[in-house]
Amino acid sequence: MLLDTYGRVATDLRVSLTDRCNLRCTYCMPEEGLQWLQKTDLLSDEEIVRLIRIAVTRLGVTEVRFTGGEPLLRPGLVGIVEQCAALEPRPDMSLTTNGIGLKRTAQALKAAGLDRVNVSLDTLRPEVFKTLTRRDRHHDVIEGMAAARDAGLTPVKVNAVLMPGLNDDEAPDLLAWAVENEYELRFIEQMPLDAQHGWKRDGMITAGDILTSLRTRFTLTEQGADERGSAPAERWLVDGGPATVGVIASVTRPFCGACDRTRLTADGQVRTCLFATEESDLRGALRSGAPDEEIARLWKVAMWGKKAGSGLDDPSFLQPDRPMSAIGG
């Protein structure tokens, strides 16, 4: 198992399939994009499947989330999902996406064995979407989410980040729309993972701000810790249920004590935390011919050194050099 010195066990693997993205969200990367990884630096499809197999069969991982960048840009995605679905024991598999390519891929992903999707959508207003993402693709995301729902990739979860002066007034509208369309909405506090390092705690929209806004229209009943488990989102029943809304308060109410995640970057590095400043190389071991036992050992060593928390509240906190698109959300 992937145990750390604080007694936490990582069973949830986040796998970044690419650092590339077809949006340019202002809280993630600059308008001109980034210096992308070279193709030779990326893990191959076979290497990704092998590492997932080691994690599932040797290290106790039970959940696999495919991320990016934008994972739908990975040409071999359907094949990777299909091979991972054949593993014994079979992991629960999900995908975090911006939704643009879902309309054409949802059915194939479901047939390959994907269980569900998380789609990033911060606004219901196309003009605000264009400002936030620097792309006019709002309709593609809406259609992609509907395609995922119709394909059975459910529950379709919607991840929304509220930004001051842009969409900070939309929380109630987003929730009403999500409930109507049978999507599960989760608001995420903006985190210091932008490539520009422009994040500032002052002025950010907090979990408290979001809940205050939602309560102007809805009655929210908090679900207990037993319901939450190790999930990052605190959840509330909406008007008595069954619909729920979640808030991931990564900055103001961190949940590091219950963290059960391990992360694999697109170039084969283990990260113990989104905010980690160190990585452990598995790609080198793979390509030097290391057996599965050695790769599993290296992964265990990496996770044993996981820190107690993200360090966001420490005055000496340094934002990671690698942005969200390279780390995998």
Side-chain angles (χ1 to χ4, degrees), residues 9-280:
V9 178
T11 58
D12 184 342
L13 170 61
R14 305 297 170 102
V15 182
S16 174
L17 299 180
T18 178
D19 61 329
R20 296 173 183 263
C21 189
N22 42 11
L23 296 180
R24 296 292 181 269
C25 297
T26 56
Y27 52 77
C28 185
M29 66 175 72
E31 185 170 6
E32 65 273 15
L34 300 169
Q35 184 69 44
W36 308 122
L37 292 167
Q38 296 295 314
K39 187 174 182 179
T40 54
D41 292 333
L42 293 171
L43 293 175
S44 68
D45 293 359
E46 293 76 15
E47 288 170 333
I48 289 170
V49 172
R50 184 183 173 196
L51 287 175
I52 293 173
R53 176 174 55 78
I54 291 170
V56 169
T57 63
R58 293 177 177 269
L59 298 173
V61 163
T62 58
E63 299 179 50
V64 177
R65 171 81 62 83
F66 298 105
T67 71
E70 174 44 52
L72 294 181
L73 295 179
R74 179 88 186 199
L77 172 60
V78 171
I80 291 171
V81 171
E82 189 170 33
Q83 290 181 73
C84 292
L87 292 173
E88 292 290 344
R90 182 197 185 282
D92 178 81
M93 291 186 296
S94 57
L95 176 85
T96 294
T97 172
N98 61 31
I100 288 176
L102 269 179
K103 184 177 180 179
R104 59 177 173 79
T105 57
Q107 290 287 351
L109 287 169
K110 180 63 177 179
L114 192 70
D115 294 302
R116 60 178 181 81
V117 295
N118 285 38
V119 182
S120 298
L121 181 67
D122 304 320
T123 177
L124 297 177
R125 304 193 292 249
E127 69 278 8
V128 175
F129 182 92
K130 187 175 181 179
T131 299
L132 277 168
T133 68
R134 305 184 178 102
R135 298 291 186 271
D136 189 13
R137 305 297 298 273
H138 188 264
H139 64 287
D140 294 310
V141 180
I142 298 297
E143 290 181 353
M145 293 173 65
R149 181 190 60 207
D150 295 344
L153 293 170
T154 54
V156 175
K157 295 185 179 181
V158 183
N159 296 337
V161 177
L162 299 182
M163 301 292 289
L166 286 173
N167 62 338
D168 52 348
D169 61 335
E170 284 198 69
D173 290 340
L174 279 164
L175 181 53
W177 170 81
V179 171
E180 179 182 355
N181 287 277
E182 300 181 332
Y183 301 141
E184 185 176 323
L185 179 62
R186 304 191 307 175
F187 292 98
I188 305 175
E189 289 182 335
Q190 184 198 3
M191 294 180 282
L193 292 168
D194 59 307
Q196 311 93 297
H197 287 204
W199 178 88
K200 290 181 174 58
R201 183 185 292 265
D202 294 342
M204 65 170 284
I205 308 302
T206 67
D209 297 331
I210 294 165
L211 292 169
T212 296
S213 178
L214 292 176
R215 286 182 172 124
T216 63
R217 196 182 305 179
F218 303 96
T219 299
L220 303 181
T221 306
E222 187 172 6
Q223 294 187 316
D226 291 341
E227 291 282 344
R228 180 180 183 183
S230 60
E234 298 176 74
R235 297 172 70 200
W236 283 261
L237 291 172
V238 179
D239 291 340
T244 63
V245 63
V247 179
I248 300 177
S250 305
V251 177
T252 60
R253 294 202 289 267
F255 38 86
C256 303
C259 182
D260 65 349
R261 296 180 180 180
T262 183
R263 299 177 181 275
L264 186 64
T265 68
D267 55 350
Q269 309 300 306
V270 171
R271 293 184 65 88
T272 61
C273 175
L274 272 175
F275 304 105
T277 55
E278 298 175 347
E279 298 176 336
S280 300

